[in-house]
Amino acid sequence: MRRQNLWIAILAATASLGTTAAQADFIDDSNVQLKLKNFYLDRQIKDTPVGNWGSWSQGITLDAKSGYHDIGGGIQIGADVLVQHAFKLNGRDQNPDWVLPHDGKESKDHFGKVGATLKAKVSETELKVGELLPVSPVLVFDPSRQLMTTYSGAWLESKDIKDTKLTLAYIDKINNRYDNQFSDLTLFAPAKGKNYYDNGEASDWMWIAGIDHQLTKEVGVSYWYADVQDIYQQLYLGVNHKTVLGEKTKLDSHIRYFDNSESGDKLYGKIDNQALSAGLKLSHGAHTVGLGYQQMFGDTAFPTLGGWVPQPYLVNWGVATFTNPDEKSLGLTYGYDFSALGAKGLNATAVYMLGKDATYAGKKDQDSEELNLILNYTVPEGKLKGLGVQAMYIDADFDYKSDLQEYRVATTYTYKF
């Protein structure tokens, strides 16, 4: 009954599908979750007037995904609703921390986001219109802080062809992790506007097309293309390989290539960047070892959207993005699952990345390095089953800007209706 009452309230609020949609499959196949996230971040920046920044906040997210209602002709429809809200428990008002909104003088005590998505499905082809949480080589949503970075637009995905996924998308707005509204698409660059979050000239839209094909059980290939109108266009090629080497041993590897150039009216000037990366991950029992190499070519840095949007399809990415012109980087990862020692739900990861020969602000041969230590624990059973805690320590050293240390602690819990 709680699930039915919740969906009735959602349908009344959105009025998007009419009363006929609130029938058996629409409700019974729904997935409704209430997610709680307590998030602490403290960044200590050395030798800079900015000093330390960070915040402690509590987030509450209602994530409601309906089932599908058949309206005839093989067409099924549904709706998703995402309601996010966060409030500050403590923080340094004078500095923006990219977690909570900041007006140039102080951070807000609370902020929220509300998004809705209509979806339609025919066979294995699905169209989503509204708020989007994409995961693709050219655009990803970002859950790394308190509230998520999301987008608005239309996303069409088809799996009707065997072993193949086709994607076509149109994006017109971004709702950044530190904002409570959808904004125009910009390039991540030094702010040119009146406040901390204005990156300058904006694009009206972004087009995306992609194809992912599984050649064999072990080998897959991907081709994606994106055009952020009048800012940059991006081509992506990827090959991945997964194989089982033994009863407890698996090997995953990939090669990825990005080609970035300016688009249309070149609102941010010339963009000339090519990024090549290769990575492998070897898992044996409780142990996981990873190795990644990445190199930047061209005259400019790797372009990303304004709002601190990450690019996890680059094998080396962190607080130090390792995306400056001419930069070469090497990454080493080691992970251990303590379930092997009887501590079910506990795992730890260490990541070390070293960047060399970067060109930054006209200076050549600039180096950087970053260490990430991550500890995760999820309660495996009992009344608190699903309660998760993540602690992260980051130490980043740069030739070309101030070194920093960062501490993050996130406590999460999901209640499923």
Side-chain angles (χ1 to χ4, degrees), residues 240-316:
N240 62 79
H241 179 266
K242 297 182 179 182
T243 187
V244 177
L245 301 178
E247 183 179 351
K248 296 183 179 181
T249 307
K250 298 179 181 179
L251 177 65
D252 295 352
S253 60
H254 67 259
I255 298 175
R256 296 167 179 168
Y257 173 75
F258 287 91
D259 186 4
N260 305 294
S261 59
E262 65 273 10
S263 172
D265 291 339
K266 307 177 186 178
L267 296 179
Y268 289 80
K270 178 183 177 181
I271 293 176
D272 173 31
N273 172 272
Q274 299 81 45
L276 179 65
S277 66
L280 62 84
K281 181 175 67 174
L282 179 66
S283 301
H284 178 74
H287 305 272
T288 300
V289 178
L291 174 66
Y293 177 78
Q294 180 172 294
Q295 186 166 347
M296 297 290 142
F297 302 90
D299 297 329
T300 61
F302 190 98
T304 56
L305 292 177
W308 302 82
V309 176
Q311 180 40 274
Y313 281 76
L314 292 175
V315 70
N316 295 328

